[in-house]
Amino acid sequence: GEDVEQSLFLSVREGDSSVINCTYTDSSSTYLYWYKQEPGAGLQLLTYIFSNMDMKQDQRLTVLLNKKDKHLSLRIADTQTGDSAIYFCAESHSGGYQKVTFGTGTKLQVIP
Amino acid sequence: SQTIHQWPATLVQPVGSPLSLECTVEGTSNPNLYWYRQAAGRGLQLLFYSVGIGQISSEVPQNLSASRPQDRQFILSSKKLLLSDSGFYLCAWSGGFGSPLHFGNGTRLTVT
């Protein structure tokens, strides 16, 4: 079945760049997503990338996709304390309905 | 613009009591609707999804059921809650394949 893996924890200093990594197993993945979850809240969509793209940039966020290695990363430039949250990688593929598989999340701690 | 509402935000229920969580979506029609549970760990487990009124599919066998009485209303229910039903329940919608999932703010359920 589909599997999405992430490291559990990342700590960075305020102002540095954060890079959150994700690997997935489903070679038929078509869309890959990054979500942010703050404590006690739902998941907020940050950005997503279609599998025929290598990179997508949106302000401080840069998504890189290595389809050959099934590796996705999210880079946050100039990380701020407000970026502290859990970040989820997710993938979807066709198959009757839109099934989305989530990783276990990476907790980002930003040190002032 | 589309919005998703989920309530209640928190709920404490005794074992054996019934459950009803409601989710409604505004600003779109015929959305795909989803119920996820997020346990203490972090990962999201897909419980139910629906592609139309009265069409419910279950991902895992469990003590819960779902219904979609109207196009933009999705209800999660249980006749008798178990301790293991405690968790953070998230409703989500999407516009179909390729469209990302958009989440509600979640319901924190504690079964005592």
Side-chain angles (χ1 to χ4, degrees):
Chain A
E2 306 84 14
D3 193 20
V4 180
E5 294 188 354
Q6 303 176 239
S7 55
L8 291 180
F9 191 76
L10 176 66
S11 180
V12 299
R13 294 203 174 274
E14 188 175 16
D16 288 350
S17 292
S18 307
V19 180
I20 303 171
N21 294 302
C22 168
T23 58
Y24 58 97
T25 58
D26 191 349
S27 58
S28 65
S29 295
T30 309
Y31 289 90
L32 297 122
Y33 309 89
W34 284 105
Y35 286 85
K36 176 184 180 182
Q37 186 181 32
E38 297 182 0
L43 274 69
Q44 173 195 357
L45 177 69
L46 289 178
T47 186
Y48 65 103
I49 190 168
F50 188 54
S51 61
N52 67 354
M53 298 170 65
D54 298 323
M55 185 184 84
K56 182 178 180 180
Q57 189 160 2
D58 184 2
Q59 298 181 358
R60 291 191 299 123
L61 305 178
T62 303
V63 177
L64 294 177
L65 174 61
N66 182 328
K67 195 172 181 181
K68 174 177 173 289
D69 294 338
K70 300 188 187 68
H71 182 266
L72 183 74
S73 67
L74 174 69
R75 179 177 180 270
I76 305 173
D78 187 25
T79 311
Q80 303 297 307
T81 55
D83 295 325
S84 294
I86 299 176
Y87 290 81
F88 289 90
C89 169
E91 64 87 20
S92 72
H93 55 278
S94 60
Y97 80 103
Q98 181 193 10
K99 180 174 182 177
V100 180
T101 303
F102 286 84
T104 51
T106 298
K107 185 172 184 178
L108 175 64
Q109 180 188 42
V110 182
I111 304 168
Chain B
S1 63
Q2 302 89 0
T3 55
I4 179 168
H5 303 278
Q6 192 180 336
W7 68 94
T10 59
L11 191 60
V12 180
Q13 293 282 98
V15 169
S17 64
L19 172 74
S20 181
L21 303 181
E22 190 161 343
C23 173
T24 59
V25 181
E26 296 177 358
T28 187
S29 59
N30 196 31
N32 290 345
L33 296 172
Y34 305 79
W35 278 111
Y36 283 87
R37 177 168 59 202
Q38 187 177 28
R42 252 192 247 163
L44 279 77
Q45 179 187 35
L46 177 63
L47 301 176
F48 300 95
Y49 66 91
S50 171
V51 298
I53 296 174
Q55 301 178 60
I56 309 293
S57 296
S58 174
E59 278 290 297
V60 293
Q62 59 210 305
N63 183 41
L64 302 168
S65 62
S67 61
R68 184 171 178 173
Q70 300 180 44
D71 181 44
R72 289 168 288 177
Q73 184 184 28
F74 206 24
I75 297 172
L76 184 69
S77 304
S78 173
K79 292 182 179 178
K80 290 185 178 181
L81 283 168
L82 306 173
L83 286 173
S84 58
D85 292 324
S86 293
F88 192 50
Y89 289 83
L90 290 158
C91 180
W93 76 273
S94 79
F97 181 67
S99 173
L101 268 64
H102 301 275
F103 286 84
N105 287 330
T107 296
R108 172 74 59 192
L109 171 66
T110 304
V111 182
T112 59

